[in-house]
Amino acid sequence: MLSVVRVHLPSEIPIVGCEITPYVLLRLPSGVVSTDDVPEAAPTDGYFMRYRIQSDRKVAICSVHPMEQATIQCLGCVKSKLPVAKSYHCSAKCFSDAWQHHRVLHERASSALNENGAEEEELFGRFGSSGSGVLSTTGSGSMSNLGQNPGSNNGPAPLYPSGTDKNSGETWYEVGRTRTYTPTADDIGHVLRFECVAVDSEKKLPVVPPTSIMTSRVIPAPTPTPRRLIQVNGDVLSHLDLDSQTSFGTFSVLSYNILADTYATSDAYSYCPTWALSWTYRRQNLMREIIGYHADIICLQEVQLNHFEDFFAPELDKHGYQALYKKRTTEVYNGAPHAIDGCATFFRRDKFSHVKKYEVEFNKAAQSLTDAIIPATQRRVALGRLLKDNVALIAVLEAKFGNHGTDNPGKRQLLCVANTHVNVHQDLKDVKLWEVQTLLKGLEKIAVSADIPMLVCGDFNSVPGSSPHGLLAMGKVDQLHPDLAIDPLGILRPASKLTHQLPLVSAYSSFARMVGVGYELEHQRRRMDPATNEPLFTNCTRDFTGTVDYIFYTADSLTVESLLELLDEESLRKDTALPSPEWSSDHIALLAEFRCKPRIRR
């Protein structure tokens, strides 16, 4: 026989808009224990599972037909102080058919409770032969909607009298008959009860009592404070919303490490409520935030393969974005195949078209490097140090908004966007620098083949002042930099080779270069590190606060128009750190608006 072994919820606190899918462990008739559902359409050995979700939003039940919801109430019962359950009826006909018996109840209550003849006369005067004024109809009141489930796609929700309170005549309100449920605004403040039971597929009857589990009260989803887009001259534009648009000839780029679900554990982020760490909550909050920025190009890191395929790609497609993805390689990774993360780049179809995609696998580059410079007897150890499964996704796009402001309007406006996550342990400074150098050399080859503006976005796990940051921002690494002292494989020698010719500048350094005075300008300057001209932080956890995320651009072909304001650490610390109920990643999003510079004829 099919039976339920255990039921539990991924989070006890349900959030409006966040799908609830309880974990149900079943014992199949064969004795095998499984988490796979057994739907009515595919029963197992004559049994299937039936589900029901109820809310403690109470509804009144007809006193005559307990399977029906009440739509009218007898005021005479209320005045006679009869049990309120007896006052409910499902229709006027129901009340009329039951009137003879019902009137006896009134008479008994009246003789027992009323010593005053005038009051008795008033009561029965109202409940005369016509019944006029007897009923309190609730067709236009709050009860009129109780027979319909506003949050369900299953039509009218049947009522079950099994939980009916005999005194109040009320019962829990059914909101769904599926294994999953998404709370609505109507559920705020109410408890939900999830119920499951094995059913005989022939008799359609439960074979055992149902198993149920209850949630805490439903709460509304927290709404992050809107972040403003600020022009580099210090003028505040407006709060970003879904209707905000970049001006003609400009485009915006978002870079965001969204924190993969596989890393978002209570062990790592014990200060964050478990419900706010759940993927069902975080994905909704992240999507709302990302869409709210209305970026033309979106570069995301730590996007799990299954979440890209099942959520981000289809959801962003609805908003007009085309998607590109590169998952990390698997020489080192030993987790579930679907849970591996990677880099995802999205672009608005109405602003760009896809020209070419390049994929950088640093493991392959490591194999080639070790084959070339490492003795055969040492290659296994060398690869153990170099192989980190990291990747970069490079997209060449063509702008559809034209070369507004250039002196060569007939030429195609191309743009190269690199998206990467250099996920390397802090102790392996040589590996981190080598991966950044490898990426830049690849981008140089693209730059040589085409006159093309470039953007380099991502989480580099490198703070300002580190050798990878210096290589990106300055085009070289100081040969006396302390990071170069850690090079057991000799992959960084000679240090003079650690250069590139791309004129890269960090977009957020524009805040530090802004001139003028004003509250907003000073507000942003206080969130910048004057020693490095970078934000004070882009990653803020209990154990680490610093800048590791960047948007670099080629300054000879692009100019920064505006930047998304930085967050204040003090405001984040009210929730200890990131992630939090308000912000669903341990990183903050970076966004810059650019304009292409006019080309100079040669």
Side-chain angles (χ1 to χ4, degrees):
M1 185 175 68
L2 181 65
S3 62
V4 177
V5 177
R6 185 169 68 253
V7 178
H8 74 82
L9 298 166
S11 172
E12 291 183 355
I13 302 178
I15 315 295
V16 170
C18 296
E19 183 181 84
I20 301 171
T21 304
Y23 173 87
V24 181
L25 188 64
L26 301 175
R27 178 169 282 107
L28 304 180
S30 63
V32 174
V33 175
S34 173
T35 57
D36 294 336
D37 192 18
V38 182
E40 184 174 5
T44 297
D45 293 344
Y47 300 98
F48 66 90
M49 291 301 299
R50 179 182 290 165
Y51 302 96
R52 180 157 60 119
I53 301 98
Q54 297 171 299
S55 166
D56 70 352
R57 283 183 279 159
K58 297 297 177 62
V59 292
I61 302 300
C62 177
S63 60
V64 180
H65 306 100
M67 292 298 288
E68 300 295 332
Q69 180 178 343
T71 59
I72 56 178
Q73 184 179 27
C74 173
L75 293 179
C77 290
V78 177
K79 287 206 169 190
S80 300
K81 298 183 180 178
L82 287 167
V84 70
K86 297 183 181 297
S87 68
Y88 294 127
H89 294 268
C90 57
S91 66
K93 183 178 185 304
C94 170
F95 181 80
S96 177
D97 290 345
W99 174 245
Q100 292 304 318
H101 172 72
H102 199 81
R103 181 164 183 161
V104 172
L105 297 178
H106 289 185
E107 292 171 347
R108 290 176 180 171
S110 179
S111 61
L113 298 175
N114 293 292
E115 300 293 334
N116 187 305
E119 190 171 341
E120 182 177 332
E121 182 179 347
E122 179 187 355
L123 179 66
F124 285 101
R126 291 189 62 200
F127 291 88
S129 59
S130 68
S132 176
V134 171
L135 305 177
S136 169
T137 63
T138 58
S140 60
S142 61
M143 271 193 193
S144 63
N145 295 324
L146 292 180
Q148 299 291 326
N149 176 12
S152 170
N153 297 322
N154 298 328
L159 296 161
Y160 289 76
S162 58
T164 304
D165 186 299
K166 293 182 179 179
N167 293 320
S168 69
E170 296 178 335
T171 189
W172 284 56
Y173 177 50
E174 183 178 297
V175 294
R177 281 193 166 192
T178 59
R179 187 169 178 171
T180 61
Y181 178 66
T182 302
T184 69
D186 291 333
D187 295 313
I188 293 174
H190 293 286
V191 171
L192 299 176
R193 180 166 63 194
F194 174 82
E195 191 176 278
C196 58
V197 66
V199 175
D200 186 301
S201 56
E202 289 187 5
K203 298 177 181 178
K204 306 296 183 184
L205 295 174
V207 294
V208 292
T211 299
S212 63
I213 188 170
M214 295 171 65
T215 70
S216 298
R217 298 192 181 278
V218 176
I219 65 172
T223 303
T225 304
R227 294 170 65 186
R228 292 167 291 180
L229 194 62
I230 298 178
Q231 290 182 332
V232 292
N233 61 12
D235 293 337
V236 179
L237 296 183
S238 59
H239 283 79
L240 287 172
D241 54 38
L242 285 174
D243 298 323
S244 65
Q245 296 282 348
T246 53
S247 58
F248 182 77
T250 65
F251 64 92
S252 56
V253 179
L254 174 74
S255 184
Y256 198 4
N257 180 328
I258 62 168
L259 180 59
D261 181 45
T262 190
Y263 306 135
T265 65
S266 293
D267 288 340
Y269 306 102
S270 59
Y271 50 84
C272 185
T274 54
W275 61 264
L277 275 180
S278 69
W279 179 242
T280 52
Y281 172 73
R282 291 203 309 116
R283 72 175 186 178
Q284 171 194 269
N285 208 32
L286 287 166
M287 184 58 67
R288 182 170 54 232
E289 181 188 359
I290 292 167
I291 291 301
Y293 295 136
H294 210 273
D296 298 311
I297 301 169
I298 300 171
C299 295
L300 303 182
Q301 301 88 43
E302 287 196 20
V303 181
Q304 287 184 199
L305 175 61
N306 56 332
H307 296 159
F308 172 78
E309 295 175 342
D310 300 338
F311 182 68
F312 285 104
E315 286 300 313
L316 286 170
D317 177 71
K318 297 175 186 176
H319 293 274
Y321 290 91
Q322 185 170 329
L324 300 172
Y325 184 74
K326 174 59 181 174
K327 71 176 181 179
R328 298 176 68 194
T329 47
T330 56
E331 278 85 354
V332 179
Y333 180 79
N334 58 7
H338 66 273
I340 193 169
D341 67 283
C343 298
T345 299
F346 305 85
F347 57 90
R348 290 181 57 86
R349 297 188 197 91
D350 60 346
K351 299 268 302 212
F352 294 96
S353 59
H354 179 224
V355 177
K356 195 164 186 179
K357 171 185 175 183
Y358 298 92
E359 296 181 348
V360 179
E361 295 183 358
F362 294 109
N363 281 4
K364 285 185 177 179
Q367 293 277 3
S368 300
L369 177 68
T370 54
D371 288 346
I373 70 168
I374 304 296
T377 56
Q378 300 175 25
R379 285 174 190 167
R380 184 175 179 181
V381 174
L383 289 175
R385 186 175 183 88
L386 290 172
L387 298 183
K388 301 301 170 193
D389 288 338
N390 293 328
V391 297
L393 173 60
I394 303 172
V396 177
L397 308 176
E398 180 178 357
K400 294 183 178 180
F401 48 80
N403 290 338
H404 183 67
T406 71
D407 60 356
N408 193 4
K411 193 171 181 180
R412 299 168 71 192
Q413 178 62 67
L414 298 178
L415 177 69
C416 180
V417 183
N419 179 11
T420 191
H421 183 196
V422 181
N423 191 2
V424 178
H425 192 275
Q426 297 302 322
D427 293 343
L428 302 177
K429 300 181 186 299
D430 55 324
V431 180
K432 196 178 300 186
L433 178 58
W434 172 77
E435 286 196 0
V436 172
Q437 169 76 348
T438 300
L439 173 62
L440 291 171
K441 288 302 180 184
L443 291 173
E444 275 190 314
K445 292 178 181 178
I446 297 174
V448 168
S449 63
D451 180 13
I452 182 170
M454 289 194 168
L455 294 165
V456 186
C457 307
D459 174 1
F460 292 85
N461 268 294
S462 301
V463 298
S466 64
S467 57
H469 179 266
L471 181 59
L472 283 159
M474 306 300 295
K476 62 181 181 179
V477 178
D478 186 334
Q479 296 190 26
L480 298 178
H481 196 289
D483 284 0
L484 299 184
I486 303 173
D487 185 21
L489 302 178
I491 59 176
L492 304 179
R493 294 193 286 268
S496 58
K497 75 176 183 179
L498 299 173
T499 63
H500 69 87
Q501 301 303 312
L502 300 173
L504 295 177
V505 175
S506 174
Y508 270 79
S509 67
S510 298
F511 270 150
R513 296 195 303 272
M514 289 164 63
V515 296
V517 295
Y519 173 77
E520 289 299 336
L521 176 56
E522 290 305 315
H523 212 49
Q524 292 306 307
R525 280 177 175 163
R526 286 199 299 269
R527 299 172 185 178
M528 297 288 293
D529 183 350
T532 63
N533 287 347
E534 293 288 4
L536 289 173
F537 70 90
T538 63
N539 180 212
C540 180
T541 67
R542 185 169 54 193
D543 303 321
F544 173 82
T545 300
T547 294
V548 294
D549 306 272
Y550 306 93
I551 298 176
F552 286 95
Y553 67 99
T554 45
D556 63 339
S557 54
L558 296 170
T559 182
V560 179
E561 293 284 298
S562 50
L563 295 165
L564 186 66
E565 70 173 332
L566 296 167
L567 293 178
D568 179 57
E569 183 179 353
E570 184 178 347
S571 68
L572 300 181
R573 291 300 181 188
K574 71 180 189 297
D575 294 309
T576 303
L578 298 177
S580 67
E582 188 176 6
W583 304 103
S584 288
S585 175
D586 56 344
H587 295 249
I588 65 170
L590 301 179
L591 182 145
E593 183 185 27
F594 296 95
R595 186 184 298 276
C596 294
K597 286 183 176 181
R599 290 191 181 91
I600 299 174
R601 290 181 178 176
R602 297 173 180 173

